[in-house]
């Protein structure tokens, strides 16, 4: 990600530029639309309320992704979430004992949750391992390990040699 | 991850995104939040500015109070020097040293009919008209100081009457005088060896 000159964002620009980013991270991790929407709204409200002066676009982007990851972690560890079973869980359709090769959507739904954010940030957001470690507040070693294991699991689920 | 998997992942994720209805409601929510946040910021700014203004006012008040206290204590420390007036009442402002700063009280010995006169002439007129006693001393202290005689008073009155402002400063030894008038006001003045006269309450010199 190259640094662009920072410009003040209107609500419309903020939504156009960052709501898909936040929404996709939340969806990749949580796998359902209502939670992804809630997270997107919470993060953007936090942005509007914050008085942080961002040095550049990279700084703002990283801040938003970090807040998104924290919001997701808060949601999944909240006692309410632990007691709730979503009715429209996307991944519900896929069974654990499926033996045929899955498509990417199914494979991501079956992928253990801890691998989802690092894989998404690395492959979709084009973030470096260092940047992922920064926004997920973990070490580079942990990120490397999660990416490697996540890739192996996806490969295994997709059962295609050319994914290597 | 291979390029193929990355490509498939990105193609899949590109299909994922917030719905149009959701984005419309999100925009409304964020606009409301933006307005609220702006008013909160304005309120916070006003609070900060008020705090700064209050701080400045407080500092100014403290400085003003300290100055008043200091001024009062300086006035009070000047009093012992005037304890030589044999129990007579001394009005505030009359107690400053012979070369004290200008103040209204320093001239309260000047009666209305003398206001238009130059300072030495006014003093000469009062010496002639309403002098009770004129104490003489070699220092600006008049404890047990002798009183001037009629001749000396007359001579001083004449000298004051003809004195005009000068740039010459007092040189040589000085004689200090404290005139006490019949209305209990008093004035201090001195005459230097070179004839230069200083009158309490003014920085000017006369000769």
């Amino acid at each position: 990600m190259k640094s662009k000159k920072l410009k003040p964002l209107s609500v419309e620009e903020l939504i156009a530029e960052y709501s898909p980013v936040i929404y996709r991270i939340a969806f990749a991790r949580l796998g359902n639309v209502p939670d992804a929407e809630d997270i997107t709204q919470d993060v953007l409200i936090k942005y509007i309320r914050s008085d942080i002066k961002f040095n550049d676009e990279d700084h703002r982007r990283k801040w938003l992704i970090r807040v998104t990851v924290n919001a997701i972690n808060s949601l999944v560890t909240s006692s309410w979430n632990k007691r709730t079973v979503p009715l429209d869980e996307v991944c519900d359709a896929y069974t654990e004992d499926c033996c045929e090769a899955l498509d990417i959507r199914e494979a991501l739904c079956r992928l253990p949750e801890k691998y989802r954010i690092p894989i998404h940030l690395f492959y979709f957001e084009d973030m470096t391992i260092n940047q992922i470690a920064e926004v997920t507040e973990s070490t580079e070693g942990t990120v490397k390990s999660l990416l490697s294991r996540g890739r192996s699991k996806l490969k295994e689920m997709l059962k295609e040699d050319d994914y290597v | 991850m291979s390029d193929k998997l990355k490509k498939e992942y990105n193609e899949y994720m590109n299909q994922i995104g917030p719905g149009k209805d959701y984005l419309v409601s999100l925009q409304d929510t964020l606009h409301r939040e933006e307005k609220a946040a702006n008013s909160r910021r304005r309120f916070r700014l006003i609070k900060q500015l008020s705090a700064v203004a209050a701080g400045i006012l407080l500092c100014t008040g403290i400085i003003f109070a300290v100055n008043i206290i200091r001024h009062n204590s300086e006035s009070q420390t000047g009093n012992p020097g005037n304890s030589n007036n044999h129990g007579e009442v001394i009005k505030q402002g009359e107690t400053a040293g012979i070369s004290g700063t200008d103040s209204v009280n320093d001239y309260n010995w000047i009666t209305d009919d003398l206001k238009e006169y130059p300072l030495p002439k006014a003093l000469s007129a009062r010496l002639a008209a309403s002098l009770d006693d004129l104490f003489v001393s070699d220092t600006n202290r008049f404890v047990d100081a002798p009183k001037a005689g009629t001749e000396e008073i007359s001579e001083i009155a004449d000298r004051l009457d003809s004195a005009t402002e000068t740039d010459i400063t007092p040189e040589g030894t000085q004689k200090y005088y404290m005139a006490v008038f019949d209305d209990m006001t008093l004035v201090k003045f001195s005459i230097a060896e070179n004839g230069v006269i200083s009158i309490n309450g003014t920085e000017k010199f006369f000769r």
Side-chain angles (χ1 to χ4, degrees), chain A residues 102-118:
Chain A
L102 304 173
D103 68 11
I104 185 78
R105 183 180 170 193
E106 293 164 328
L108 286 171
C109 283
R110 299 258 317 264
L111 185 69
E113 290 164 344
K114 62 181 177 181
Y115 301 118
R116 293 178 187 176
I117 286 179

Side-chain angles (χ1 to χ4, degrees), chain B residues 1-20:
Chain B
M1 192 180 282
S2 68
D3 282 342
K4 187 183 174 189
L5 185 53
K6 182 180 177 181
K7 192 180 160 196
E8 274 195 35
Y9 183 90
N10 286 353
E11 276 172 6
Y12 168 63
M13 271 299 162
N14 276 325
Q15 293 165 17
I16 304 289
K20 280 184 184 173

Side-chain angles (χ1 to χ4, degrees), chain A residues 13-118:
Chain A
E13 288 171 325
L14 188 66
I15 288 174
E17 199 158 333
Y18 286 109
S19 71
V21 175
I22 298 164
Y23 184 92
R24 283 180 186 127
I25 295 170
F27 188 86
R29 169 64 178 82
L30 301 165
N32 73 82
V33 171
D35 282 348
E37 288 179 345
D38 283 350
I39 293 287
T40 306
Q41 181 170 300
D42 287 353
V43 171
L44 292 180
I45 285 175
K46 270 182 191 162
Y47 172 83
I48 286 173
R49 284 180 185 172
S50 77
D51 287 325
I52 297 174
K53 306 288 177 207
F54 296 101
N55 302 328
D56 51 31
E57 197 60 54
D58 258 4
H59 184 202
R60 175 156 53 202
R61 187 182 179 81
K62 272 190 212 162
W63 185 89
L64 282 163
I65 291 175
R66 188 173 189 157
V67 172
T68 304
V69 172
N70 288 340
I72 291 166
N73 290 338
S74 296
L75 183 73
V76 296
T77 54
S78 68
S79 53
W80 167 256
N81 192 62
K82 282 174 183 169
R83 292 198 306 268
T84 307
V85 179
L87 293 172
D88 57 347
E89 185 73 63
V90 173
C91 296
D92 283 353
Y94 310 110
T95 54
E96 288 285 331
D97 56 351
C98 137
C99 51
E100 291 178 5
L102 304 173
D103 68 11
I104 185 78
R105 183 180 170 193
E106 293 164 328
L108 286 171
C109 283
R110 299 258 317 264
L111 185 69
E113 290 164 344
K114 62 181 177 181
Y115 301 118
R116 293 178 187 176
I117 286 179

